[in-house]
Amino acid sequence: MPYPEGTVRALLQTDLVTEATRAALQARLDAPTYYLPQFFDADTYQLLRVVAARLLPQPDRPAPIALAPAIDARLAEGRSDGWRYDVLPPDREAYRMGLGGINQAAQAQFQQDFMALDAARQDAVLEQLAAGKAAGENWQQINQERFFEELLAELTENYYAHPLAQEEIGYVGMADVPGWTRIGLNELEPREPEELN
């Protein structure tokens, strides 16, 4: 890790973080390891988890940051992430069709469902999807490149919203109660961690 461990967790215990921010980040740290999907059926939710693990692998973590629950919960609550491409349907429909399309692409390329494939073949399916070259009926109805972009963006957002991921990159932007005075190039506030050598 290029930054010291525990920086964000230590800041959460200070008055440099607002109570609302502290509560939101602490909830992510304390999230239960088991999550019962509310929007997706069990198989589709498991597919989302496996896709997330291929797109954002976390081999160095004893327990990976769970990325699928936030998507399932958002869709179950009918919340938008604030925008969408006009070539994609609303988020609920886009995710159902997109995840189904990933299985169709896996079947077309390897004659197996995505979750039955080894990691290399799963990556090959996702590479086809990212390139806009995946086969499957669903991809005749929605734009696969844009769906892939949306999926990757939301997974990445969920990853870096977690305090442990923020510690990896030395992010302390949540500790903003006193404001920021050192805004010049390479200037650090005392609460900002320095990169390890």
Side-chain angles (χ1 to χ4, degrees), residues 3-197:
Y3 290 92
E5 284 189 54
T7 53
V8 172
R9 286 170 280 179
L11 281 171
L12 291 181
Q13 308 309 313
T14 71
D15 58 4
L16 299 172
V17 180
T18 66
E19 190 53 43
T21 299
R22 182 184 354 271
L25 293 179
Q26 193 63 49
R28 293 171 194 159
L29 283 169
D30 298 338
T33 55
Y34 177 76
Y35 174 82
L36 184 64
Q38 306 298 307
F39 175 73
F40 294 114
D41 61 57
D43 289 343
T44 306
Y45 179 73
Q46 184 59 21
L47 173 61
L48 175 60
R49 290 186 66 224
V50 172
V51 169
R54 295 310 315 152
L55 293 176
L56 288 170
Q58 303 173 57
D60 297 334
R61 292 188 187 285
I65 296 170
L67 304 175
I71 294 175
D72 180 80
R74 180 178 72 78
L75 296 175
E77 294 167 9
R79 288 184 289 117
S80 167
D81 58 2
W83 67 283
R84 69 178 169 90
Y85 287 109
D86 62 357
V87 295
L88 291 179
D91 289 352
R92 287 176 167 179
E93 186 178 353
Y95 267 98
R96 282 193 176 119
M97 293 186 70
L99 291 170
I102 288 173
N103 259 340
Q104 292 170 1
Q107 282 288 347
Q109 198 168 354
F110 297 113
Q111 296 75 54
Q112 289 182 298
D113 282 346
F114 185 83
M115 289 193 296
L117 302 175
D118 61 29
R121 290 182 176 188
Q122 289 176 341
D123 289 349
V125 170
L126 294 174
E127 287 168 7
Q128 289 281 309
L129 177 61
K133 297 177 180 176
E137 180 184 340
N138 287 12
W139 304 124
Q140 304 306 310
Q141 300 174 55
I142 66 171
N143 183 302
Q144 57 186 280
E145 293 159 286
R146 293 294 180 240
F147 172 75
F148 179 83
E149 187 178 328
E150 282 267 354
L151 172 63
L152 183 59
E154 187 160 9
L155 290 170
T156 303
E157 179 181 314
N158 291 343
Y159 181 76
Y160 283 109
H162 197 282
L164 297 181
Q166 293 169 354
E167 287 181 3
E168 289 176 349
I169 59 173
Y171 177 76
V172 296
M174 80 299 290
D176 60 355
V177 169
W180 303 91
T181 58
R182 298 184 180 185
I183 57 175
L185 185 63
N186 296 325
E187 291 182 340
L188 295 177
E189 300 285 348
R191 61 188 179 277
E192 293 183 276
E194 292 192 33
E195 193 169 2
L196 297 172
N197 294 322

